[in-house]
Each structure stands twice: as C-alpha cells, then as structure tokens.
C-alpha cells in the first residue's frame, strides 16, 4: 500500500513538473521497448485533477496518434532539470466531451499553457469544433525504465537533404575564432 502511494505521488509530481511527456498509445508497460507498437511521441500537457490533459488532432495542434477513448497508453516522464527518463506509467485514455464540465475545467488549464496560439481567446471554441481533449488517467502501474537508449532511427522523409558546405564557410569560422 505504501509503495502504491509513493508511486502515485512520484507520477503526479514528475508529470506536473515536466513540460513534455512521451506517450505511446495502445501500449503495455511490459512491452515498453523498441520495436513494440507505435513509437512514443513527445506531447505538451497540463496535469489537472489527477490526470495529464492533452489537446490535439486539429489544425495547428499536436497529433495524438494511437490514443483512442477507452484505450491504454504508456507515458514516460523526463526530468525537468536533466532531461533523462524519470518514470514510466500506464494510463487509461479518456476523451472529454466538448462543453462538459470536465472539458471546460481541462480546457481552462490547457488554455493558459498553450503557446503561440493563432486565435487567442477564440481557442476554446476552435478546440470544441476541431480538436480532441484527452485525459491520461494513471492506472496504478509503473514500469521499470530500460537501461539502454530507446532512440529510434528517424522516419524517412524527402525533406532531409544534405548539400556540400559553401567553400567560404571555413574561412568565416576561423576569422571569428581569431577575433576572440
């Protein structure tokens, strides 16, 4: 019982303080390893009323792939000061109904944390029309963090191209060093 309360306190405190959480939908903590299911995605969130609240899947908002109402997710929280993995916990995904009291409370918290919103005060109405607001409620189990790296190779994209560096660049860089 004491260990469960300590785990719950660690999940809450670490998630509150972290600006980003890594979320993988449809995951099971025992399978929280590379090659199992969809990759984890970094998402901004707000801790509110015992759960991590997210907004996304709309124009200009973060994508929430693999997070379905009633489904499971694995949340990995990083340390705010060092950036390393701190704890991994399993969650139940709950989609909030727009304009319900729970939705209004969550959106009130999310609205204050949303940076660079294109529509300012009209943001909650846009979220109600075009986005999903989710709660990731801890299900009470935490997972052991793996020892090794969970780095995945980047997804292929035509946007990444490499060109030779300009011939004058080394001279420009050396001039800056000599001036100091």
């Amino acid at each position: 019982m004491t260990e469960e309360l300590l785990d719950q306190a660690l999940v809450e405190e670490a998630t509150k303080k972290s600006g980003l959480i890594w979320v993988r939908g449809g995951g099971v903590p025992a399978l929280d390893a590379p090659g199992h299911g969809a990759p984890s995605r970094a998402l901004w969130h707000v801790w509110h009323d015992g759960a991590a609240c997210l907004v996304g899947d709309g124009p200009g908002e973060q994508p929430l792939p693999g997070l379905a109402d009633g489904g499971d997710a694995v949340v990995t929280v990083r340390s705010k000061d060092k950036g390393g993995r701190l704890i991994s916990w399993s969650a139940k995904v709950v989609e909030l109904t727009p304009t319900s009291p729970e939705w209004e409370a969550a959106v009130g918290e999310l609205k204050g944390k949303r940076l660079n919103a294109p529509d300012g005060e009209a943001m909650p109405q846009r979220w109600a029309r075009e986005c999903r607001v989710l709660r990731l409620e801890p299900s009470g189990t935490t997972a052991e963090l793996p020892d090794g790296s969970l780095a995945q190779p980047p997804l292929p994209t035509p946007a990444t191209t490499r060109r030779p560096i300009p011939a004058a660049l080394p001279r420009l860089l050396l001039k800056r060093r000599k001036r100091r």
Side-chain angles (χ1 to χ4, degrees):
M1 181 69 173
T2 304
E3 192 171 321
E4 286 179 24
L5 291 174
L6 289 173
D7 282 349
Q8 182 181 358
L10 178 59
V11 164
E12 182 172 343
E13 219 30 56
T15 308
K16 270 185 193 178
K17 291 185 179 197
S18 181
L20 286 175
I21 53 176
W22 293 86
V23 181
R24 190 186 62 203
V28 177
L31 299 178
D32 192 19
H36 290 286
S40 294
R41 180 175 290 278
L43 302 173
W44 71 272
H45 71 288
V46 169
W47 184 267
H48 174 69
D49 200 23
C53 297
L54 312 166
V55 65
D57 280 351
E61 300 297 339
Q62 61 191 353
L64 304 173
L67 297 177
D69 189 25
D72 293 325
V74 174
V75 179
T76 302
V77 181
R78 67 187 181 110
S79 168
K80 188 167 183 147
D81 57 348
K82 301 291 184 188
R85 292 182 302 255
L86 191 57
I87 188 168
S88 186
W89 49 277
S90 60
K92 180 181 177 220
V93 180
V94 177
E95 186 167 351
L96 301 176
T97 307
T99 68
S100 69
E102 297 85 11
W103 187 89
E104 294 286 346
V107 165
E109 294 291 321
L110 286 162
K111 182 179 157 188
K113 296 289 184 178
R114 174 64 165 92
L115 301 176
N116 303 323
D119 47 1
E121 291 301 315
M123 187 170 36
Q125 292 83 15
R126 179 174 56 87
W127 285 351
R129 283 189 322 268
E130 303 171 356
C131 298
R132 297 188 312 147
V133 176
L134 304 178
R135 281 177 53 89
L136 301 180
E137 299 173 348
S139 62
T141 57
T142 57
E144 287 291 321
L145 294 175
D147 289 334
S149 171
L150 296 178
Q152 298 280 333
L155 298 173
T157 174
T160 56
T161 58
R162 225 157 154 168
R163 298 182 189 170
I165 63 169
L169 187 60
R171 288 192 307 266
L172 291 171
L173 293 175
L174 288 174
K175 281 184 184 178
R176 288 184 183 170
R177 285 188 190 160
K178 289 179 183 177
R179 289 181 191 172
R180 293 181 187 172

